[in-house]
Amino acid sequence: MATDEKQAAKRIAQLREEIRKHDRLYYEEAAPLISDRDYDRLYKQLFDLETQFPDLVTPDSPTQRVGGKPLKAFEQVSHLIPMLSLDNTYSEEEVANFYKRITRLLPNERIPVVIEPKVDGVAVSLIYENGKLRQAATRGDANVGDNVTQNIRTIRSVPERLRDAAPKLLEVRGEVYMDRKGFEKLNDERKKQGLPLFANPRNAAAGSLKQLDPAIVAKRPLGVVLYGTGATEGVDVDVHSEIFPLLKKLGLPATERWWVAQSVEEILGAIHELDGIRHKFAYQTDGAVVKVNSFAQRERLGFTAKSPRWAIAYKYEGERVETRLNDIVIQVGRTGILTPVAVLEPVLVSGSTVGRATLHNNDEIKRKDIRIGDTVVIEKAGEVIPAVVAVVKSKRSRDAKPFDFAKHIDSKCPVCGGPIRRDPEFVALWVELWRISWSNAVWCASHSIFSS
Ligand code: IVH
């Protein structure tokens, strides 16, 4: 190796260590030491040196996070252990029944359970072999998922190598998410570019992960939060609650808050406490998951046909508030689909002021008998765009006006005046514009089906 190459190798090693350190401070400890600008400077130095000395590029270099080429399709990979889902409930009584059931199944035993956030993202499995990230996959049909390793590598909070004494095999499971700020920024940019907007952060994360070109994924503000393990070898843990500190020790982003409980009262207490703080997390949550802590007890409880007997997901109701529906307007999507939208008396829901809500389609307006001037209940759950869930009929005034979608649009697009046709396949209403694109149309059709 020539002297300048030797020097470059030394500097490259230093820069990589430095960048990894700042990644860790930024993503794991939320305590960055340097500005984004200084970080970018370090990164550029490394990138330039590696361009000058391509032989010194290694796959685990921070610059290689976006190194992959666009794929034609995702490879299908089998999960080492199926990625099952959980029974969901909105009822506290069912949570109590869950705990009573397991205490009946394991009589005379203490059964501690863990309560943790139910993250509203996209489920993924990451496999580390001897401390190196080998594979990342989506859940797919629970047995076989998409190999999304290239895309996951672009997420800076996912380490390429684990810290400390890494086990021989560690499969970790969790959710990919997009934080709210990143989501809003992305949608703002898409709006400017005239691209269809993502309905909520989960859709945006799912859409990003499905991209075949990792360079696009690298520009999306994604994060990962991990809540459990799958297949492991050399991991000496026999209760679930020990997994969180273990993941943290290895440098992996794990669930930040969890509770251990041993009675129905404690479980419900933890569920309420979580509800009070969950809006502060960077990721979206839609519930609490209650899991038996001991792996040995889990094994004895086993599974039903589709889900484990040792866990249940409790989903929080979306926040609901009443307000007046002042008007209904028709919105024309980029794809040409017409969607009725409620113009509301502005009201505060889940921390933001809401002035509009989707009415989905004409059938919904008819089914719920929504009239202009009505007092309506709106709900903001996982969706960022709130929905009108019901009319408060007892508060209806005599002059509340019914709304006739078909008459209103009069076979012409209310915005461009273009002709309108109904598509029998998607039962949606289209404005015939040159810019209709079929892939977008399908995406949109599910949100605004019209079939009167
Ligand atoms: S545990 C066998 N824990 O919600 C149980 N899942 O229907 C494996 N999810 O499939 C899942 N947060 O995609 C678990 N803290 C959490 C979770 C969580 C979100 C997802 C996951 C799962 C679905 C449950």
Side-chain angles (χ1 to χ4, degrees), residues 86-89 95 114-119 259 267 270-272 274-275 278 285-291 312-316:
L86 299 171
D87 282 339
N88 279 335
T89 178
V95 174
V114 170
I115 296 92
E116 62 189 49
K118 181 171 184 325
V119 183
W259 292 256
I267 296 171
I271 287 178
H272 296 153
L274 172 59
D275 195 22
R278 65 194 180 97
T285 54
D286 59 352
V289 181
V290 184
K291 299 174 177 170
I312 192 167
Y314 171 82
K315 301 241 290 192
Y316 297 111

PDB file of all heavy atoms in Angstrom, residues 86-89 95 114-119 259 267 270-272 274-275 278 285-291 312-316:
ATOM      1  N   LEU A  86     -51.580 -10.258  16.648  1.00  0.00           N
ATOM      2  CA  LEU A  86     -52.205 -10.410  17.965  1.00  0.00           C
ATOM      3  C   LEU A  86     -53.706 -10.220  17.881  1.00  0.00           C
ATOM      4  O   LEU A  86     -54.207  -9.584  16.958  1.00  0.00           O
ATOM      5  CB  LEU A  86     -51.656  -9.341  18.918  1.00  0.00           C
ATOM      6  CG  LEU A  86     -50.164  -9.357  19.204  1.00  0.00           C
ATOM      7  CD1 LEU A  86     -49.781  -8.107  19.988  1.00  0.00           C
ATOM      8  CD2 LEU A  86     -49.800 -10.596  19.984  1.00  0.00           C
ATOM      9  N   ASP A  87     -54.407 -10.755  18.877  1.00  0.00           N
ATOM     10  CA  ASP A  87     -55.829 -10.452  19.003  1.00  0.00           C
ATOM     11  C   ASP A  87     -55.948  -9.001  19.462  1.00  0.00           C
ATOM     12  O   ASP A  87     -55.237  -8.589  20.366  1.00  0.00           O
ATOM     13  CB  ASP A  87     -56.463 -11.352  20.065  1.00  0.00           C
ATOM     14  CG  ASP A  87     -56.710 -12.747  19.531  1.00  0.00           C
ATOM     15  OD1 ASP A  87     -56.776 -12.902  18.295  1.00  0.00           O
ATOM     16  OD2 ASP A  87     -56.832 -13.679  20.347  1.00  0.00           O
ATOM     17  N   ASN A  88     -56.856  -8.257  18.822  1.00  0.00           N
ATOM     18  CA  ASN A  88     -57.067  -6.846  19.169  1.00  0.00           C
ATOM     19  C   ASN A  88     -58.349  -6.680  19.959  1.00  0.00           C
ATOM     20  O   ASN A  88     -59.323  -7.367  19.686  1.00  0.00           O
ATOM     21  CB  ASN A  88     -57.284  -6.029  17.884  1.00  0.00           C
ATOM     22  CG  ASN A  88     -55.980  -5.686  17.228  1.00  0.00           C
ATOM     23  OD1 ASN A  88     -54.944  -5.621  17.878  1.00  0.00           O
ATOM     24  ND2 ASN A  88     -56.026  -5.468  15.928  1.00  0.00           N
ATOM     25  N   THR A  89     -58.347  -5.742  20.882  1.00  0.00           N
ATOM     26  CA  THR A  89     -59.607  -5.409  21.544  1.00  0.00           C
ATOM     27  C   THR A  89     -59.644  -3.914  21.878  1.00  0.00           C
ATOM     28  O   THR A  89     -58.607  -3.288  22.038  1.00  0.00           O
ATOM     29  CB  THR A  89     -59.803  -6.230  22.847  1.00  0.00           C
ATOM     30  OG1 THR A  89     -61.012  -5.807  23.452  1.00  0.00           O
ATOM     31  CG2 THR A  89     -58.663  -6.027  23.827  1.00  0.00           C
ATOM     32  N   VAL A  95     -59.470  -7.147  28.274  1.00  0.00           N
ATOM     33  CA  VAL A  95     -58.096  -7.215  28.810  1.00  0.00           C
ATOM     34  C   VAL A  95     -58.133  -7.943  30.147  1.00  0.00           C
ATOM     35  O   VAL A  95     -57.321  -8.830  30.418  1.00  0.00           O
ATOM     36  CB  VAL A  95     -57.478  -5.803  28.960  1.00  0.00           C
ATOM     37  CG1 VAL A  95     -56.123  -5.883  29.641  1.00  0.00           C
ATOM     38  CG2 VAL A  95     -57.353  -5.120  27.601  1.00  0.00           C
ATOM     39  N   VAL A 114     -45.883  -7.763  30.743  1.00  0.00           N
ATOM     40  CA  VAL A 114     -45.306  -6.476  30.348  1.00  0.00           C
ATOM     41  C   VAL A 114     -46.349  -5.720  29.535  1.00  0.00           C
ATOM     42  O   VAL A 114     -47.050  -6.311  28.710  1.00  0.00           O
ATOM     43  CB  VAL A 114     -44.031  -6.695  29.504  1.00  0.00           C
ATOM     44  CG1 VAL A 114     -43.551  -5.384  28.868  1.00  0.00           C
ATOM     45  CG2 VAL A 114     -42.919  -7.285  30.371  1.00  0.00           C
ATOM     46  N   ILE A 115     -46.448  -4.420  29.789  1.00  0.00           N
ATOM     47  CA  ILE A 115     -47.343  -3.561  29.002  1.00  0.00           C
ATOM     48  C   ILE A 115     -46.431  -2.597  28.255  1.00  0.00           C
ATOM     49  O   ILE A 115     -45.573  -1.949  28.843  1.00  0.00           O
ATOM     50  CB  ILE A 115     -48.329  -2.768  29.905  1.00  0.00           C
ATOM     51  CG1 ILE A 115     -49.257  -3.738  30.641  1.00  0.00           C
ATOM     52  CG2 ILE A 115     -49.171  -1.797  29.076  1.00  0.00           C
ATOM     53  CD1 ILE A 115     -48.758  -4.146  31.969  1.00  0.00           C
ATOM     54  N   GLU A 116     -46.602  -2.526  26.950  1.00  0.00           N
ATOM     55  CA  GLU A 116     -45.710  -1.677  26.134  1.00  0.00           C
ATOM     56  C   GLU A 116     -46.504  -1.031  25.006  1.00  0.00           C
ATOM     57  O   GLU A 116     -47.620  -1.465  24.700  1.00  0.00           O
ATOM     58  CB  GLU A 116     -44.566  -2.531  25.579  1.00  0.00           C
ATOM     59  CG  GLU A 116     -45.061  -3.640  24.669  1.00  0.00           C
ATOM     60  CD  GLU A 116     -43.961  -4.629  24.273  1.00  0.00           C
ATOM     61  OE1 GLU A 116     -43.242  -5.102  25.163  1.00  0.00           O
ATOM     62  OE2 GLU A 116     -43.839  -4.897  23.070  1.00  0.00           O
ATOM     63  N   PRO A 117     -45.949  -0.005  24.363  1.00  0.00           N
ATOM     64  CA  PRO A 117     -46.706   0.665  23.307  1.00  0.00           C
ATOM     65  C   PRO A 117     -46.954  -0.256  22.110  1.00  0.00           C
ATOM     66  O   PRO A 117     -46.097  -1.047  21.749  1.00  0.00           O
ATOM     67  CB  PRO A 117     -45.783   1.820  22.872  1.00  0.00           C
ATOM     68  CG  PRO A 117     -44.720   1.917  23.902  1.00  0.00           C
ATOM     69  CD  PRO A 117     -44.642   0.616  24.601  1.00  0.00           C
ATOM     70  N   LYS A 118     -48.130  -0.124  21.521  1.00  0.00           N
ATOM     71  CA  LYS A 118     -48.391  -0.785  20.240  1.00  0.00           C
ATOM     72  C   LYS A 118     -48.077   0.248  19.166  1.00  0.00           C
ATOM     73  O   LYS A 118     -48.762   1.262  19.052  1.00  0.00           O
ATOM     74  CB  LYS A 118     -49.848  -1.224  20.155  1.00  0.00           C
ATOM     75  CG  LYS A 118     -50.165  -1.947  18.859  1.00  0.00           C
ATOM     76  CD  LYS A 118     -51.553  -2.552  18.910  1.00  0.00           C
ATOM     77  CE  LYS A 118     -51.895  -3.373  17.685  1.00  0.00           C
ATOM     78  NZ  LYS A 118     -51.375  -2.923  16.411  1.00  0.00           N
ATOM     79  N   VAL A 119     -47.007  -0.006  18.460  1.00  0.00           N
ATOM     80  CA  VAL A 119     -46.500   0.979  17.501  1.00  0.00           C
ATOM     81  C   VAL A 119     -47.254   0.833  16.187  1.00  0.00           C
ATOM     82  O   VAL A 119     -47.447  -0.272  15.687  1.00  0.00           O
ATOM     83  CB  VAL A 119     -44.983   0.751  17.281  1.00  0.00           C
ATOM     84  CG1 VAL A 119     -44.419   1.804  16.337  1.00  0.00           C
ATOM     85  CG2 VAL A 119     -44.241   0.780  18.614  1.00  0.00           C
ATOM     86  N   TRP A 259     -44.008  -1.343  31.249  1.00  0.00           N
ATOM     87  CA  TRP A 259     -44.423  -1.543  32.634  1.00  0.00           C
ATOM     88  C   TRP A 259     -44.528  -3.047  32.896  1.00  0.00           C
ATOM     89  O   TRP A 259     -44.852  -3.790  31.970  1.00  0.00           O
ATOM     90  CB  TRP A 259     -45.809  -0.933  32.869  1.00  0.00           C
ATOM     91  CG  TRP A 259     -45.882   0.556  32.794  1.00  0.00           C
ATOM     92  CD1 TRP A 259     -45.983   1.408  33.858  1.00  0.00           C
ATOM     93  CD2 TRP A 259     -45.903   1.389  31.617  1.00  0.00           C
ATOM     94  NE1 TRP A 259     -46.059   2.718  33.418  1.00  0.00           N
ATOM     95  CE2 TRP A 259     -46.009   2.735  32.046  1.00  0.00           C
ATOM     96  CE3 TRP A 259     -45.839   1.152  30.246  1.00  0.00           C
ATOM     97  CZ2 TRP A 259     -46.050   3.811  31.166  1.00  0.00           C
ATOM     98  CZ3 TRP A 259     -45.877   2.219  29.365  1.00  0.00           C
ATOM     99  CH2 TRP A 259     -45.972   3.532  29.831  1.00  0.00           C
ATOM    100  N   ILE A 267     -52.473  -3.721  35.321  1.00  0.00           N
ATOM    101  CA  ILE A 267     -52.422  -3.710  33.847  1.00  0.00           C
ATOM    102  C   ILE A 267     -53.189  -2.504  33.315  1.00  0.00           C
ATOM    103  O   ILE A 267     -52.685  -1.736  32.496  1.00  0.00           O
ATOM    104  CB  ILE A 267     -53.011  -5.020  33.253  1.00  0.00           C
ATOM    105  CG1 ILE A 267     -52.166  -6.219  33.651  1.00  0.00           C
ATOM    106  CG2 ILE A 267     -53.119  -4.918  31.727  1.00  0.00           C
ATOM    107  CD1 ILE A 267     -52.771  -7.575  33.289  1.00  0.00           C
ATOM    108  N   ALA A 270     -51.389   0.734  33.922  1.00  0.00           N
ATOM    109  CA  ALA A 270     -50.288   0.968  32.974  1.00  0.00           C
ATOM    110  C   ALA A 270     -50.835   1.405  31.615  1.00  0.00           C
ATOM    111  O   ALA A 270     -50.283   2.310  30.961  1.00  0.00           O
ATOM    112  CB  ALA A 270     -49.457  -0.298  32.829  1.00  0.00           C
ATOM    113  N   ILE A 271     -51.930   0.791  31.189  1.00  0.00           N
ATOM    114  CA  ILE A 271     -52.537   1.146  29.892  1.00  0.00           C
ATOM    115  C   ILE A 271     -52.948   2.630  29.905  1.00  0.00           C
ATOM    116  O   ILE A 271     -52.727   3.358  28.938  1.00  0.00           O
ATOM    117  CB  ILE A 271     -53.738   0.216  29.581  1.00  0.00           C
ATOM    118  CG1 ILE A 271     -53.221  -1.179  29.211  1.00  0.00           C
ATOM    119  CG2 ILE A 271     -54.627   0.790  28.494  1.00  0.00           C
ATOM    120  CD1 ILE A 271     -54.296  -2.218  28.925  1.00  0.00           C
ATOM    121  N   HIS A 272     -53.522   3.075  31.032  1.00  0.00           N
ATOM    122  CA  HIS A 272     -53.941   4.483  31.131  1.00  0.00           C
ATOM    123  C   HIS A 272     -52.731   5.413  31.156  1.00  0.00           C
ATOM    124  O   HIS A 272     -52.730   6.469  30.539  1.00  0.00           O
ATOM    125  CB  HIS A 272     -54.798   4.719  32.382  1.00  0.00           C
ATOM    126  CG  HIS A 272     -56.083   3.959  32.334  1.00  0.00           C
ATOM    127  ND1 HIS A 272     -56.757   3.549  33.448  1.00  0.00           N
ATOM    128  CD2 HIS A 272     -56.807   3.503  31.283  1.00  0.00           C
ATOM    129  CE1 HIS A 272     -57.842   2.878  33.088  1.00  0.00           C
ATOM    130  NE2 HIS A 272     -57.893   2.839  31.770  1.00  0.00           N
ATOM    131  N   LEU A 274     -49.784   4.884  29.899  1.00  0.00           N
ATOM    132  CA  LEU A 274     -49.210   4.934  28.545  1.00  0.00           C
ATOM    133  C   LEU A 274     -50.018   5.885  27.659  1.00  0.00           C
ATOM    134  O   LEU A 274     -49.454   6.677  26.898  1.00  0.00           O
ATOM    135  CB  LEU A 274     -49.179   3.519  27.948  1.00  0.00           C
ATOM    136  CG  LEU A 274     -48.782   3.394  26.478  1.00  0.00           C
ATOM    137  CD1 LEU A 274     -47.383   3.960  26.239  1.00  0.00           C
ATOM    138  CD2 LEU A 274     -48.826   1.935  26.016  1.00  0.00           C
ATOM    139  N   ASP A 275     -51.332   5.835  27.799  1.00  0.00           N
ATOM    140  CA  ASP A 275     -52.181   6.707  26.973  1.00  0.00           C
ATOM    141  C   ASP A 275     -51.862   8.185  27.218  1.00  0.00           C
ATOM    142  O   ASP A 275     -51.945   9.006  26.302  1.00  0.00           O
ATOM    143  CB  ASP A 275     -53.657   6.414  27.273  1.00  0.00           C
ATOM    144  CG  ASP A 275     -54.586   6.997  26.221  1.00  0.00           C
ATOM    145  OD1 ASP A 275     -54.107   7.252  25.091  1.00  0.00           O
ATOM    146  OD2 ASP A 275     -55.779   7.200  26.514  1.00  0.00           O
ATOM    147  N   ARG A 278     -48.134   8.693  25.383  1.00  0.00           N
ATOM    148  CA  ARG A 278     -47.738   8.122  24.094  1.00  0.00           C
ATOM    149  C   ARG A 278     -47.628   9.164  22.970  1.00  0.00           C
ATOM    150  O   ARG A 278     -46.895   8.959  22.012  1.00  0.00           O
ATOM    151  CB  ARG A 278     -48.664   6.982  23.691  1.00  0.00           C
ATOM    152  CG  ARG A 278     -50.085   7.417  23.441  1.00  0.00           C
ATOM    153  CD  ARG A 278     -51.000   6.238  23.386  1.00  0.00           C
ATOM    154  NE  ARG A 278     -52.366   6.629  23.144  1.00  0.00           N
ATOM    155  CZ  ARG A 278     -52.934   6.626  21.966  1.00  0.00           C
ATOM    156  NH1 ARG A 278     -52.284   6.234  20.903  1.00  0.00           N
ATOM    157  NH2 ARG A 278     -54.190   7.024  21.836  1.00  0.00           N
ATOM    158  N   THR A 285     -48.524   5.617  17.985  1.00  0.00           N
ATOM    159  CA  THR A 285     -48.964   4.409  18.673  1.00  0.00           C
ATOM    160  C   THR A 285     -50.479   4.371  18.597  1.00  0.00           C
ATOM    161  O   THR A 285     -51.125   5.424  18.537  1.00  0.00           O
ATOM    162  CB  THR A 285     -48.555   4.452  20.152  1.00  0.00           C
ATOM    163  OG1 THR A 285     -49.051   5.662  20.716  1.00  0.00           O
ATOM    164  CG2 THR A 285     -47.048   4.392  20.330  1.00  0.00           C
ATOM    165  N   ASP A 286     -51.040   3.180  18.541  1.00  0.00           N
ATOM    166  CA  ASP A 286     -52.503   3.111  18.530  1.00  0.00           C
ATOM    167  C   ASP A 286     -53.038   2.210  19.630  1.00  0.00           C
ATOM    168  O   ASP A 286     -54.206   1.892  19.659  1.00  0.00           O
ATOM    169  CB  ASP A 286     -53.019   2.676  17.155  1.00  0.00           C
ATOM    170  CG  ASP A 286     -52.494   1.318  16.740  1.00  0.00           C
ATOM    171  OD1 ASP A 286     -51.627   0.776  17.436  1.00  0.00           O
ATOM    172  OD2 ASP A 286     -52.954   0.796  15.714  1.00  0.00           O
ATOM    173  N   GLY A 287     -52.156   1.782  20.525  1.00  0.00           N
ATOM    174  CA  GLY A 287     -52.637   0.927  21.594  1.00  0.00           C
ATOM    175  C   GLY A 287     -51.531   0.504  22.532  1.00  0.00           C
ATOM    176  O   GLY A 287     -50.428   1.051  22.506  1.00  0.00           O
ATOM    177  N   ALA A 288     -51.870  -0.490  23.349  1.00  0.00           N
ATOM    178  CA  ALA A 288     -50.896  -1.073  24.280  1.00  0.00           C
ATOM    179  C   ALA A 288     -50.898  -2.575  24.034  1.00  0.00           C
ATOM    180  O   ALA A 288     -51.940  -3.157  23.752  1.00  0.00           O
ATOM    181  CB  ALA A 288     -51.309  -0.786  25.713  1.00  0.00           C
ATOM    182  N   VAL A 289     -49.722  -3.182  24.107  1.00  0.00           N
ATOM    183  CA  VAL A 289     -49.655  -4.637  23.991  1.00  0.00           C
ATOM    184  C   VAL A 289     -49.334  -5.195  25.374  1.00  0.00           C
ATOM    185  O   VAL A 289     -48.442  -4.696  26.058  1.00  0.00           O
ATOM    186  CB  VAL A 289     -48.582  -5.076  22.963  1.00  0.00           C
ATOM    187  CG1 VAL A 289     -48.553  -6.596  22.850  1.00  0.00           C
ATOM    188  CG2 VAL A 289     -48.863  -4.457  21.596  1.00  0.00           C
ATOM    189  N   VAL A 290     -50.099  -6.201  25.778  1.00  0.00           N
ATOM    190  CA  VAL A 290     -49.882  -6.852  27.067  1.00  0.00           C
ATOM    191  C   VAL A 290     -49.321  -8.240  26.781  1.00  0.00           C
ATOM    192  O   VAL A 290     -49.938  -9.014  26.051  1.00  0.00           O
ATOM    193  CB  VAL A 290     -51.212  -6.962  27.855  1.00  0.00           C
ATOM    194  CG1 VAL A 290     -50.966  -7.555  29.242  1.00  0.00           C
ATOM    195  CG2 VAL A 290     -51.907  -5.617  27.951  1.00  0.00           C
ATOM    196  N   LYS A 291     -48.130  -8.536  27.328  1.00  0.00           N
ATOM    197  CA  LYS A 291     -47.462  -9.808  27.019  1.00  0.00           C
ATOM    198  C   LYS A 291     -47.008 -10.490  28.300  1.00  0.00           C
ATOM    199  O   LYS A 291     -46.456  -9.822  29.182  1.00  0.00           O
ATOM    200  CB  LYS A 291     -46.185  -9.555  26.201  1.00  0.00           C
ATOM    201  CG  LYS A 291     -46.387  -8.886  24.872  1.00  0.00           C
ATOM    202  CD  LYS A 291     -45.030  -8.558  24.250  1.00  0.00           C
ATOM    203  CE  LYS A 291     -45.215  -7.958  22.876  1.00  0.00           C
ATOM    204  NZ  LYS A 291     -43.978  -7.410  22.317  1.00  0.00           N
ATOM    205  N   ILE A 312     -52.087  -9.868  24.201  1.00  0.00           N
ATOM    206  CA  ILE A 312     -53.290  -9.231  23.640  1.00  0.00           C
ATOM    207  C   ILE A 312     -52.954  -7.772  23.330  1.00  0.00           C
ATOM    208  O   ILE A 312     -52.117  -7.168  24.019  1.00  0.00           O
ATOM    209  CB  ILE A 312     -54.494  -9.342  24.621  1.00  0.00           C
ATOM    210  CG1 ILE A 312     -55.795  -8.952  23.915  1.00  0.00           C
ATOM    211  CG2 ILE A 312     -54.283  -8.508  25.877  1.00  0.00           C
ATOM    212  CD1 ILE A 312     -57.047  -9.331  24.680  1.00  0.00           C
ATOM    213  N   ALA A 313     -53.565  -7.240  22.287  1.00  0.00           N
ATOM    214  CA  ALA A 313     -53.366  -5.828  21.960  1.00  0.00           C
ATOM    215  C   ALA A 313     -54.627  -5.054  22.316  1.00  0.00           C
ATOM    216  O   ALA A 313     -55.729  -5.427  21.897  1.00  0.00           O
ATOM    217  CB  ALA A 313     -53.046  -5.668  20.476  1.00  0.00           C
ATOM    218  N   TYR A 314     -54.466  -4.036  23.128  1.00  0.00           N
ATOM    219  CA  TYR A 314     -55.591  -3.161  23.471  1.00  0.00           C
ATOM    220  C   TYR A 314     -55.460  -1.893  22.634  1.00  0.00           C
ATOM    221  O   TYR A 314     -54.410  -1.249  22.649  1.00  0.00           O
ATOM    222  CB  TYR A 314     -55.543  -2.807  24.964  1.00  0.00           C
ATOM    223  CG  TYR A 314     -56.545  -1.748  25.351  1.00  0.00           C
ATOM    224  CD1 TYR A 314     -57.869  -2.084  25.591  1.00  0.00           C
ATOM    225  CD2 TYR A 314     -56.173  -0.409  25.447  1.00  0.00           C
ATOM    226  CE1 TYR A 314     -58.809  -1.112  25.922  1.00  0.00           C
ATOM    227  CE2 TYR A 314     -57.104   0.571  25.778  1.00  0.00           C
ATOM    228  CZ  TYR A 314     -58.417   0.204  26.020  1.00  0.00           C
ATOM    229  OH  TYR A 314     -59.331   1.167  26.337  1.00  0.00           O
ATOM    230  N   LYS A 315     -56.505  -1.557  21.870  1.00  0.00           N
ATOM    231  CA  LYS A 315     -56.408  -0.358  21.030  1.00  0.00           C
ATOM    232  C   LYS A 315     -57.159   0.803  21.666  1.00  0.00           C
ATOM    233  O   LYS A 315     -58.281   0.651  22.146  1.00  0.00           O
ATOM    234  CB  LYS A 315     -56.992  -0.647  19.633  1.00  0.00           C
ATOM    235  CG  LYS A 315     -56.260  -1.791  18.938  1.00  0.00           C
ATOM    236  CD  LYS A 315     -55.590  -1.440  17.656  1.00  0.00           C
ATOM    237  CE  LYS A 315     -56.405  -1.131  16.501  1.00  0.00           C
ATOM    238  NZ  LYS A 315     -55.798  -1.041  15.226  1.00  0.00           N
ATOM    239  N   TYR A 316     -56.493   1.966  21.670  1.00  0.00           N
ATOM    240  CA  TYR A 316     -57.137   3.162  22.208  1.00  0.00           C
ATOM    241  C   TYR A 316     -58.136   3.694  21.183  1.00  0.00           C
ATOM    242  O   TYR A 316     -57.899   3.606  19.984  1.00  0.00           O
ATOM    243  CB  TYR A 316     -56.102   4.261  22.485  1.00  0.00           C
ATOM    244  CG  TYR A 316     -55.087   3.884  23.534  1.00  0.00           C
ATOM    245  CD1 TYR A 316     -53.764   3.661  23.194  1.00  0.00           C
ATOM    246  CD2 TYR A 316     -55.462   3.759  24.864  1.00  0.00           C
ATOM    247  CE1 TYR A 316     -52.820   3.319  24.154  1.00  0.00           C
ATOM    248  CE2 TYR A 316     -54.524   3.416  25.842  1.00  0.00           C
ATOM    249  CZ  TYR A 316     -53.213   3.197  25.472  1.00  0.00           C
ATOM    250  OH  TYR A 316     -52.300   2.856  26.423  1.00  0.00           O
TER     251      TYR A 316
END
